[in-house]
Short mmCIF file of all heavy atoms in Angstrom, two decimals:
data_model
loop_
_atom_site.label_atom_id
_atom_site.label_comp_id
_atom_site.label_asym_id
_atom_site.label_seq_id
_atom_site.Cartn_x
_atom_site.Cartn_y
_atom_site.Cartn_z
N SER Q 106 -29.39 -14.09 -2.81
CA SER Q 106 -30.83 -14.16 -2.57
C SER Q 106 -31.12 -15.33 -1.66
O SER Q 106 -30.38 -16.33 -1.60
CB SER Q 106 -31.57 -14.40 -3.88
OG SER Q 106 -31.17 -15.57 -4.45
N THR Q 107 -32.14 -15.21 -0.85
CA THR Q 107 -32.49 -16.26 0.11
C THR Q 107 -33.94 -16.20 0.54
O THR Q 107 -34.62 -15.20 0.32
CB THR Q 107 -31.64 -16.11 1.40
OG1 THR Q 107 -31.91 -17.19 2.30
CG2 THR Q 107 -31.93 -14.83 2.11
N THR Q 108 -34.45 -17.30 0.99
CA THR Q 108 -35.79 -17.34 1.59
C THR Q 108 -35.70 -17.58 3.05
O THR Q 108 -36.72 -17.73 3.77
CB THR Q 108 -36.66 -18.41 0.94
OG1 THR Q 108 -36.00 -19.73 1.07
CG2 THR Q 108 -36.86 -18.15 -0.55
N THR Q 109 -34.51 -17.69 3.58
CA THR Q 109 -34.30 -17.94 5.03
C THR Q 109 -34.52 -16.67 5.86
O THR Q 109 -34.57 -15.56 5.31
CB THR Q 109 -32.94 -18.45 5.29
OG1 THR Q 109 -32.84 -19.02 6.58
CG2 THR Q 109 -31.89 -17.34 5.24
N ASP Q 110 -34.78 -16.86 7.13
CA ASP Q 110 -34.94 -15.73 8.04
C ASP Q 110 -33.64 -14.89 8.06
O ASP Q 110 -32.51 -15.43 8.10
CB ASP Q 110 -35.17 -16.34 9.45
CG ASP Q 110 -35.49 -15.31 10.48
OD1 ASP Q 110 -35.26 -14.10 10.26
OD2 ASP Q 110 -36.03 -15.68 11.56
N LEU Q 111 -33.76 -13.60 7.97
CA LEU Q 111 -32.62 -12.72 7.96
C LEU Q 111 -32.05 -12.42 9.36
O LEU Q 111 -31.24 -11.46 9.48
CB LEU Q 111 -32.93 -11.40 7.22
CG LEU Q 111 -33.24 -11.60 5.73
CD1 LEU Q 111 -33.50 -10.24 5.07
CD2 LEU Q 111 -32.09 -12.24 4.96
N HIS Q 112 -32.51 -13.16 10.34
CA HIS Q 112 -31.94 -12.96 11.66
C HIS Q 112 -30.49 -13.44 11.67
O HIS Q 112 -30.14 -14.45 11.02
CB HIS Q 112 -32.75 -13.86 12.72
CG HIS Q 112 -32.30 -13.50 14.12
ND1 HIS Q 112 -31.14 -13.99 14.68
CD2 HIS Q 112 -32.92 -12.83 15.13
CE1 HIS Q 112 -31.10 -13.59 15.96
NE2 HIS Q 112 -32.14 -12.84 16.14
N PRO Q 113 -29.51 -12.66 12.30
CA PRO Q 113 -28.12 -12.96 12.20
C PRO Q 113 -27.78 -14.39 12.64
O PRO Q 113 -26.86 -15.03 12.04
CB PRO Q 113 -27.48 -12.01 13.21
CG PRO Q 113 -28.38 -10.81 13.10
CD PRO Q 113 -29.79 -11.38 12.93
N LEU Q 114 -28.48 -14.98 13.60
CA LEU Q 114 -28.19 -16.35 14.05
C LEU Q 114 -28.53 -17.33 12.93
O LEU Q 114 -27.78 -18.36 12.73
CB LEU Q 114 -28.96 -16.73 15.31
CG LEU Q 114 -28.57 -15.98 16.58
CD1 LEU Q 114 -29.44 -16.41 17.78
CD2 LEU Q 114 -27.08 -16.21 16.88
N LYS Q 115 -29.63 -17.15 12.15
CA LYS Q 115 -29.93 -18.00 11.08
C LYS Q 115 -29.02 -17.76 9.90
O LYS Q 115 -28.62 -18.75 9.26
CB LYS Q 115 -31.37 -17.75 10.63
CG LYS Q 115 -32.48 -18.11 11.67
CD LYS Q 115 -32.60 -19.63 11.78
CE LYS Q 115 -33.67 -20.01 12.73
NZ LYS Q 115 -35.01 -19.77 12.19
N LEU Q 116 -28.65 -16.58 9.71
CA LEU Q 116 -27.65 -16.27 8.61
C LEU Q 116 -26.33 -16.89 8.78
O LEU Q 116 -25.68 -17.30 7.80
CB LEU Q 116 -27.56 -14.75 8.45
CG LEU Q 116 -28.72 -13.97 7.93
CD1 LEU Q 116 -28.45 -12.49 7.86
CD2 LEU Q 116 -29.14 -14.53 6.54
N ALA Q 117 -25.85 -17.00 10.02
CA ALA Q 117 -24.55 -17.61 10.32
C ALA Q 117 -24.55 -19.01 9.81
O ALA Q 117 -23.58 -19.47 9.13
CB ALA Q 117 -24.24 -17.48 11.81
N ARG Q 118 -25.49 -19.79 10.17
CA ARG Q 118 -25.53 -21.20 9.70
C ARG Q 118 -25.74 -21.26 8.22
O ARG Q 118 -25.06 -22.07 7.52
CB ARG Q 118 -26.68 -21.96 10.45
CG ARG Q 118 -26.77 -23.44 9.97
CD ARG Q 118 -27.49 -24.31 10.93
NE ARG Q 118 -26.75 -24.46 12.18
CZ ARG Q 118 -25.70 -25.24 12.34
NH1 ARG Q 118 -25.30 -26.01 11.35
NH2 ARG Q 118 -25.14 -25.31 13.48
N HIS Q 119 -26.60 -20.41 7.70
CA HIS Q 119 -26.84 -20.39 6.20
C HIS Q 119 -25.53 -20.13 5.49
O HIS Q 119 -25.19 -20.73 4.49
CB HIS Q 119 -27.90 -19.30 5.98
CG HIS Q 119 -28.30 -19.27 4.53
ND1 HIS Q 119 -29.25 -20.20 3.95
CD2 HIS Q 119 -27.93 -18.47 3.49
CE1 HIS Q 119 -29.43 -19.89 2.72
NE2 HIS Q 119 -28.68 -18.85 2.37
N ALA Q 120 -24.78 -19.11 5.99
CA ALA Q 120 -23.50 -18.73 5.37
C ALA Q 120 -22.48 -19.86 5.39
O ALA Q 120 -21.81 -20.04 4.40
CB ALA Q 120 -22.94 -17.48 6.10
N PHE Q 121 -22.44 -20.53 6.52
CA PHE Q 121 -21.47 -21.65 6.62
C PHE Q 121 -21.83 -22.74 5.69
O PHE Q 121 -21.08 -23.36 5.02
CB PHE Q 121 -21.38 -22.11 8.07
CG PHE Q 121 -20.39 -23.23 8.28
CD1 PHE Q 121 -18.99 -22.91 8.41
CD2 PHE Q 121 -20.78 -24.54 8.32
CE1 PHE Q 121 -18.07 -23.91 8.60
CE2 PHE Q 121 -19.85 -25.52 8.50
CZ PHE Q 121 -18.51 -25.26 8.63
N GLU Q 122 -23.13 -23.13 5.72
CA GLU Q 122 -23.64 -24.26 4.89
C GLU Q 122 -23.40 -24.04 3.37
O GLU Q 122 -23.13 -24.98 2.62
CB GLU Q 122 -25.09 -24.55 5.22
CG GLU Q 122 -25.37 -25.18 6.61
CD GLU Q 122 -26.76 -25.44 6.88
OE1 GLU Q 122 -27.61 -24.91 6.21
OE2 GLU Q 122 -27.05 -26.20 7.85
N TYR Q 123 -23.57 -22.78 2.97
CA TYR Q 123 -23.42 -22.52 1.54
C TYR Q 123 -22.02 -22.01 1.19
O TYR Q 123 -21.77 -21.63 0.07
CB TYR Q 123 -24.42 -21.42 1.15
CG TYR Q 123 -25.82 -21.98 0.94
CD1 TYR Q 123 -26.71 -22.17 2.04
CD2 TYR Q 123 -26.31 -22.44 -0.26
CE1 TYR Q 123 -27.97 -22.70 1.81
CE2 TYR Q 123 -27.57 -22.97 -0.44
CZ TYR Q 123 -28.35 -23.09 0.65
OH TYR Q 123 -29.65 -23.66 0.50
N GLY Q 124 -21.12 -22.05 2.13
CA GLY Q 124 -19.74 -21.73 1.86
C GLY Q 124 -19.43 -20.25 1.58
O GLY Q 124 -18.44 -19.91 0.94
N TYR Q 125 -20.30 -19.38 2.12
CA TYR Q 125 -20.00 -17.92 1.99
C TYR Q 125 -18.72 -17.46 2.70
O TYR Q 125 -18.09 -16.50 2.25
CB TYR Q 125 -21.18 -17.09 2.47
CG TYR Q 125 -22.45 -17.41 1.71
CD1 TYR Q 125 -23.74 -17.02 2.23
CD2 TYR Q 125 -22.46 -17.93 0.44
CE1 TYR Q 125 -24.91 -17.26 1.60
CE2 TYR Q 125 -23.66 -18.22 -0.22
CZ TYR Q 125 -24.89 -17.87 0.30
OH TYR Q 125 -26.06 -18.11 -0.36
N ASP Q 126 -18.36 -18.18 3.70
CA ASP Q 126 -17.03 -17.85 4.41
C ASP Q 126 -15.88 -18.15 3.47
O ASP Q 126 -14.90 -17.45 3.41
CB ASP Q 126 -16.95 -18.63 5.72
CG ASP Q 126 -17.05 -20.11 5.50
OD1 ASP Q 126 -17.95 -20.58 4.81
OD2 ASP Q 126 -16.27 -20.90 6.16
N ILE Q 127 -16.02 -19.20 2.68
CA ILE Q 127 -15.00 -19.62 1.72
C ILE Q 127 -14.98 -18.55 0.65
O ILE Q 127 -13.81 -18.09 0.25
CB ILE Q 127 -15.23 -21.00 1.13
CG1 ILE Q 127 -15.36 -22.10 2.24
CG2 ILE Q 127 -14.19 -21.36 0.12
CD1 ILE Q 127 -15.78 -23.40 1.71
N ALA Q 128 -16.10 -18.17 0.18
CA ALA Q 128 -16.15 -17.18 -0.96
C ALA Q 128 -15.57 -15.80 -0.50
O ALA Q 128 -14.82 -15.18 -1.21
CB ALA Q 128 -17.60 -17.01 -1.38
N ALA Q 129 -15.89 -15.44 0.77
CA ALA Q 129 -15.37 -14.16 1.30
C ALA Q 129 -13.83 -14.15 1.25
O ALA Q 129 -13.26 -13.17 0.85
CB ALA Q 129 -15.97 -13.93 2.68
N TYR Q 130 -13.29 -15.23 1.76
CA TYR Q 130 -11.84 -15.28 1.83
C TYR Q 130 -11.22 -15.34 0.41
O TYR Q 130 -10.32 -14.57 0.06
CB TYR Q 130 -11.35 -16.53 2.64
CG TYR Q 130 -9.85 -16.66 2.63
CD1 TYR Q 130 -9.06 -15.85 3.42
CD2 TYR Q 130 -9.27 -17.58 1.74
CE1 TYR Q 130 -7.65 -15.98 3.38
CE2 TYR Q 130 -7.82 -17.69 1.72
CZ TYR Q 130 -7.06 -16.89 2.54
OH TYR Q 130 -5.73 -16.99 2.45
N ALA Q 131 -11.77 -16.23 -0.40
CA ALA Q 131 -11.19 -16.38 -1.79
C ALA Q 131 -11.35 -15.13 -2.60
O ALA Q 131 -10.43 -14.72 -3.35
CB ALA Q 131 -11.83 -17.57 -2.49
N TYR Q 132 -12.51 -14.50 -2.51
CA TYR Q 132 -12.74 -13.30 -3.34
C TYR Q 132 -11.82 -12.17 -2.89
O TYR Q 132 -11.26 -11.40 -3.73
CB TYR Q 132 -14.16 -12.79 -3.24
CG TYR Q 132 -15.20 -13.54 -4.01
CD1 TYR Q 132 -14.80 -14.75 -4.65
CD2 TYR Q 132 -16.51 -13.12 -4.15
CE1 TYR Q 132 -15.77 -15.43 -5.40
CE2 TYR Q 132 -17.41 -13.81 -4.92
CZ TYR Q 132 -17.03 -14.96 -5.56
OH TYR Q 132 -17.94 -15.66 -6.32
N THR Q 133 -11.59 -12.05 -1.61
CA THR Q 133 -10.70 -11.01 -1.09
C THR Q 133 -9.28 -11.27 -1.62
O THR Q 133 -8.56 -10.31 -2.06
CB THR Q 133 -10.65 -11.00 0.45
OG1 THR Q 133 -11.96 -10.78 0.93
CG2 THR Q 133 -9.73 -9.92 1.00
N LYS Q 134 -8.86 -12.53 -1.62
CA LYS Q 134 -7.51 -12.87 -2.12
C LYS Q 134 -7.41 -12.66 -3.61
O LYS Q 134 -6.35 -12.26 -4.11
CB LYS Q 134 -7.14 -14.34 -1.76
CG LYS Q 134 -6.87 -14.57 -0.28
CD LYS Q 134 -5.66 -13.78 0.11
CE LYS Q 134 -5.41 -13.88 1.62
NZ LYS Q 134 -4.23 -13.02 2.02
N ALA Q 135 -8.53 -12.92 -4.29
CA ALA Q 135 -8.51 -12.68 -5.76
C ALA Q 135 -8.27 -11.21 -6.06
O ALA Q 135 -7.51 -10.87 -6.99
CB ALA Q 135 -9.83 -13.12 -6.35
N LEU Q 136 -8.96 -10.30 -5.34
CA LEU Q 136 -8.80 -8.89 -5.59
C LEU Q 136 -7.39 -8.38 -5.15
O LEU Q 136 -6.78 -7.55 -5.80
CB LEU Q 136 -9.90 -8.10 -4.91
CG LEU Q 136 -10.23 -6.79 -5.56
CD1 LEU Q 136 -10.70 -6.97 -6.98
CD2 LEU Q 136 -11.38 -6.10 -4.77
#
Side-chain angles (χ1 to χ4, degrees):
S106 61
T107 182
T108 56
T109 194
D110 188 342
L111 293 181
H112 189 284
L114 292 179
K115 293 290 182 71
L116 289 179
R118 178 162 293 281
H119 186 80
F121 183 81
E122 289 178 344
Y123 283 85
Y125 296 161
D126 56 317
I127 303 173
Y130 176 78
Y132 281 11
T133 301
K134 288 300 176 183
L136 208 56

